[in-house]
Amino acid sequence: MPPTGSSVTLREAGLQDIPAIVAVQARSWRESYRGLVDDDFLEAIPMQKWIESWRTHFFGARRDTRAFVAESGGRIIGFSGAGAADGVEGLGDAVAELHTIYMDAAYYGQGIGRRLMEAALDHLRQQGFTEVVLWVLEGNHRARRFYEAGGWRADGATGSDCWGATSVARVRYRLTLPPG
């Protein structure tokens, strides 16, 4: 349960935030993906591997990729991250990707996710991107409603990943960035 009277602040993430970000991501995956992927996979999330991945992807040599965190009571409760849409065939240089956005379930429905998304989208606008894509698990109906409420639309692209013993279908969404 969120602390009563606690305000939520957003800021750009730093290297020191990575362990807390990964902890939120693991909790969120266990909450959001239970029933969509293998329980054993969710319980065996490779935390150290994720920490290294965050270090490389969001805090490596890339200049266009940024992450943002939401804090309440001095604790990170959510995050977003966005940058170039690397490795996505058929997308031009003006298309970016919302790589990640997760938060603790106790904070759903308070507008914090929307604020995290806007922070990421504002960053992308400043980088000169005009369109953004994201991938979402096909069966993650809560997330899909969240994105659709924000103006995102499925663009027809699909894919799949293997998460543990489960093959999961994913759907790509796209958003044209309105001018800042």
Side-chain angles (χ1 to χ4, degrees):
M1 192 67 153
T4 305
S6 178
S7 65
V8 174
T9 58
L10 263 60
R11 63 173 173 79
E12 189 169 334
L15 276 168
Q16 74 282 0
D17 298 318
I18 293 173
I21 288 170
V22 167
V24 169
Q25 186 173 3
R27 286 191 302 273
S28 186
W29 275 40
R30 289 178 182 124
E31 167 78 21
S32 299
Y33 301 146
R34 186 89 50 206
L36 296 177
V37 300
D38 184 53
D39 285 350
D40 291 338
F41 175 80
L42 293 174
E43 295 309 319
I45 289 173
M47 302 293 278
Q48 192 57 43
K49 182 178 175 184
W50 281 13
I51 287 171
E52 291 307 316
S53 177
W54 267 88
R55 236 181 232 123
T56 302
H57 189 78
F58 286 98
F59 300 98
R62 298 291 308 261
R63 291 286 210 220
D64 63 359
T65 303
R66 293 286 184 279
F68 302 89
V69 295
E71 290 181 309
S72 177
R75 187 173 79 83
I76 291 175
I77 59 162
F79 62 90
S80 63
D86 291 338
V88 183
E89 291 183 34
L91 297 179
D93 291 341
V95 181
E97 184 172 1
L98 179 64
H99 296 292
T100 188
I101 182 169
Y102 290 101
M103 58 189 276
D104 284 329
Y107 293 88
Y108 288 174
Q110 298 180 33
I112 301 163
R114 181 93 35 237
R115 290 175 56 201
L116 283 165
M117 187 184 320
E118 281 304 316
L121 296 178
D122 286 346
H123 162 70
L124 295 173
R125 274 187 208 93
Q126 292 170 10
Q127 297 298 308
F129 293 106
T130 58
E131 283 190 279
V132 186
V133 296
L134 63 81
W135 290 94
V136 61
L137 295 189
E138 184 178 56
N140 190 345
H141 301 294
R142 173 187 284 278
R144 293 181 73 174
R145 283 190 306 271
F146 171 76
Y147 297 128
E148 290 167 4
W152 296 80
R153 297 293 173 249
D155 70 2
T158 61
S160 65
D161 292 315
C162 189
W163 289 13
T166 308
S167 177
V168 293
R170 55 192 175 109
V171 177
R172 189 173 71 193
Y173 276 66
R174 187 181 293 248
L175 176 74
T176 299
L177 285 176

